[in-house]
Amino acid sequence: MSKRKISNYLLSTPFYVWIAAFILIPLIMVFYYGFTDKDGFFTLEYVAAMAGPVAGFIMVFLFPWFPRTAVCALTQSLFNLIPVYPLDGGRMLRSIV
Protein backbone atom coordinates (compact mmCIF):
# COMPACT_ATOMS: atom_id res chain seq x y z
CA MET A 1 0.00 0.00 0.00
CA SER A 2 1.19 3.44 -0.79
CA LYS A 3 1.51 6.22 1.77
CA ARG A 4 -1.43 8.02 0.19
CA LYS A 5 -3.78 5.04 0.55
CA ILE A 6 -2.75 4.53 4.16
CA SER A 7 -3.26 8.20 5.00
CA ASN A 8 -6.67 8.20 3.28
CA TYR A 9 -7.65 5.12 5.26
CA LEU A 10 -6.51 6.66 8.54
CA LEU A 11 -8.20 9.97 7.83
CA SER A 12 -11.50 8.31 6.91
CA THR A 13 -11.65 6.16 10.07
CA PRO A 14 -13.32 8.86 12.22
CA PHE A 15 -15.97 9.25 9.54
CA TYR A 16 -16.79 5.53 9.72
CA VAL A 17 -16.95 5.71 13.50
CA TRP A 18 -19.33 8.67 13.17
CA ILE A 19 -21.51 6.69 10.75
CA ALA A 20 -21.71 3.78 13.16
CA ALA A 21 -22.30 5.88 16.25
CA PHE A 22 -24.80 8.41 14.94
CA ILE A 23 -26.55 6.65 12.06
CA LEU A 24 -26.42 2.87 12.34
CA ILE A 25 -26.87 2.46 16.10
CA PRO A 26 -29.91 4.79 16.27
CA LEU A 27 -31.44 3.04 13.25
CA ILE A 28 -30.97 -0.34 14.90
CA MET A 29 -32.58 1.01 18.08
CA VAL A 30 -35.53 2.42 16.11
CA PHE A 31 -36.09 -0.91 14.38
CA TYR A 32 -35.77 -2.83 17.65
CA TYR A 33 -38.26 -0.62 19.47
CA GLY A 34 -40.43 -0.50 16.35
CA PHE A 35 -40.95 -4.26 16.34
CA THR A 36 -41.37 -4.82 20.10
CA ASP A 37 -43.85 -3.51 22.62
CA LYS A 38 -43.09 -2.44 26.19
CA ASP A 39 -43.08 -6.08 27.34
CA GLY A 40 -40.56 -7.07 24.68
CA PHE A 41 -43.00 -9.00 22.49
CA PHE A 42 -43.12 -8.68 18.71
CA THR A 43 -45.76 -6.26 17.38
CA LEU A 44 -46.48 -4.42 14.15
CA GLU A 45 -48.37 -1.51 15.74
CA TYR A 46 -45.30 0.75 15.79
CA VAL A 47 -44.45 -0.17 12.22
CA ALA A 48 -47.97 0.67 11.05
CA ALA A 49 -47.81 3.99 12.93
CA MET A 50 -44.41 4.85 11.45
CA ALA A 51 -45.40 3.98 7.87
CA GLY A 52 -47.00 7.36 7.13
CA PRO A 53 -44.19 9.64 8.30
CA VAL A 54 -41.49 7.37 6.88
CA ALA A 55 -43.15 7.42 3.46
CA GLY A 56 -43.13 11.22 3.53
CA PHE A 57 -39.47 11.35 4.51
CA ILE A 58 -38.61 8.91 1.71
CA MET A 59 -40.44 11.12 -0.78
CA VAL A 60 -38.16 14.00 0.20
CA PHE A 61 -35.19 12.01 -1.08
CA LEU A 62 -36.94 10.47 -4.08
CA PHE A 63 -38.11 13.79 -5.53
CA PRO A 64 -35.24 16.25 -5.09
CA TRP A 65 -35.87 17.69 -8.54
CA PHE A 66 -39.39 18.72 -7.41
CA PRO A 67 -38.61 20.93 -4.42
CA ARG A 68 -42.23 21.91 -3.81
CA THR A 69 -43.26 18.24 -3.65
CA ALA A 70 -40.38 17.50 -1.28
CA VAL A 71 -41.31 20.39 1.01
CA CYS A 72 -44.97 19.29 1.04
CA ALA A 73 -43.97 15.70 1.87
CA LEU A 74 -41.68 16.85 4.66
CA THR A 75 -44.34 19.17 6.09
CA GLN A 76 -46.93 16.39 6.00
CA SER A 77 -44.56 13.97 7.72
CA LEU A 78 -43.67 16.41 10.49
CA PHE A 79 -47.34 17.30 11.02
CA ASN A 80 -48.19 13.60 11.15
CA LEU A 81 -45.73 13.14 14.04
CA ILE A 82 -47.67 15.51 16.34
CA PRO A 83 -48.52 13.37 19.39
CA VAL A 84 -52.32 13.61 19.29
CA TYR A 85 -54.40 10.46 18.92
CA PRO A 86 -55.72 10.41 15.35
CA LEU A 87 -52.30 11.17 13.89
CA ASP A 88 -49.45 8.66 13.70
CA GLY A 89 -47.49 10.44 16.43
CA GLY A 90 -50.40 9.85 18.80
CA ARG A 91 -50.56 6.19 17.80
CA MET A 92 -46.85 5.80 18.45
CA LEU A 93 -47.15 7.59 21.79
CA ARG A 94 -50.11 5.40 22.79
CA SER A 95 -48.16 2.28 21.81
CA ILE A 96 -45.21 3.32 23.97
CA VAL A 97 -47.32 4.17 27.03
Side-chain angles (χ1 to χ4, degrees):
M1 279 180 109
S2 69
K3 272 185 151 180
R4 183 172 175 92
K5 286 185 180 182
I6 292 173
S7 66
N8 285 344
Y9 177 73
L10 291 175
L11 290 174
S12 65
T13 302
F15 178 70
Y16 294 125
V17 171
W18 183 88
I19 288 174
F22 293 103
I23 295 176
L24 297 179
I25 293 172
L27 279 176
I28 291 168
M29 290 172 59
V30 165
F31 284 119
Y32 172 75
Y33 288 112
F35 288 113
T36 57
D37 60 1
K38 61 183 177 182
D39 298 325
F41 296 109
F42 178 78
T43 183
L44 288 176
E45 187 174 358
Y46 285 151
V47 177
M50 288 188 294
V54 169
F57 288 128
I58 289 172
M59 283 181 62
V60 170
F61 297 109
L62 289 180
F63 298 112
W65 52 91
F66 297 120
R68 186 172 289 167
T69 303
V71 169
C72 290
L74 181 64
T75 304
Q76 180 265 338
S77 297
L78 292 174
F79 181 78
N80 210 0
L81 288 173
I82 295 173
V84 295
Y85 175 64
L87 300 175
D88 290 332
R91 290 175 52 204
M92 286 188 283
L93 183 66
R94 186 184 61 164
S95 299
I96 292 170
V97 177

